[in-house]
Amino acid sequence: MNCRVIVSAVIEKDNKILMGSKPKDIGPYPNTLHIPGGGVELGAESLMTAVKREVFEETGLEIDNVQRINFNEDFTPNHNGIMTHYIFLVYHAQYKSGELKTPDSEFRTLGWYPKESLKSLALAAPSIELFKSMGWL
């Protein structure tokens, strides 16, 4: 079984949360909305460097006021169908600067969603647990 350490960020701007959807029917968590994030280059970067790098690579945005808020784990197939143990290290951050980039192979869509709309969105399972722990669901 594979194991991946993932850093991700709940990014707020004007009382909205940045989320994106992965390409259709591609896992993990296909056809759902995700907060931006990705794998840590273990041994080569700090967690803070990793979360800022991943957010920038996936969204084109810089973040500020980054604070650790949550950790979780899940077992689910990766994009190749291989069962993977994911360890999620989640941060809360504020938008600092930059323009939201055009979605690419990482995200098919990217957008800002009002917090009050979270209950009606198709969220990835880890995001549901996260937003419940934050009192947003």
Side-chain angles (χ1 to χ4, degrees):
M1 177 182 307
N2 287 346
C3 182
R4 292 205 58 210
V5 176
I6 304 294
V7 288
S8 59
V10 175
I11 304 167
E12 285 195 69
K13 178 183 175 188
D14 302 326
N15 208 35
K16 294 180 181 176
I17 305 301
L18 180 63
M19 290 188 289
S21 61
K22 297 289 186 178
K24 187 170 175 37
D25 299 328
I26 300 214
Y29 314 108
N31 310 314
T32 58
L33 290 168
H34 303 244
I35 58 176
V40 177
E41 295 174 12
L42 296 171
E45 64 184 347
S46 70
L47 297 174
M48 187 65 66
T49 299
V51 73
K52 289 180 177 184
R53 175 186 54 76
E54 281 292 338
V55 166
F56 184 77
E57 286 176 4
E58 291 188 350
T59 69
L61 303 181
E62 291 187 38
I63 54 177
D64 204 3
N65 300 321
V66 182
Q67 301 291 320
R68 291 176 289 199
I69 59 168
N70 192 287
F71 68 90
N72 203 346
E73 67 180 338
D74 198 13
F75 297 85
T76 192
N78 68 12
H79 63 278
N80 293 319
I82 299 168
M83 186 56 72
T84 302
H85 179 196
Y86 288 95
I87 300 168
F88 299 106
L89 307 173
V90 186
Y91 293 79
H92 184 262
Q94 297 296 318
Y95 162 84
K96 179 180 178 183
S97 64
E99 293 295 320
L100 204 55
K101 76 179 201 173
T102 304
D104 58 16
S105 61
E106 287 289 330
F107 284 115
R108 139 177 97 91
T109 64
L110 276 171
W112 295 97
Y113 295 84
K115 286 183 195 176
E116 36 308 326
S117 73
L118 294 176
K119 292 177 183 170
S120 64
L121 299 174
L123 301 171
S127 295
I128 292 170
E129 288 185 39
L130 170 66
F131 293 144
K132 281 182 179 177
S133 77
M134 297 176 76
W136 293 355
L137 284 180

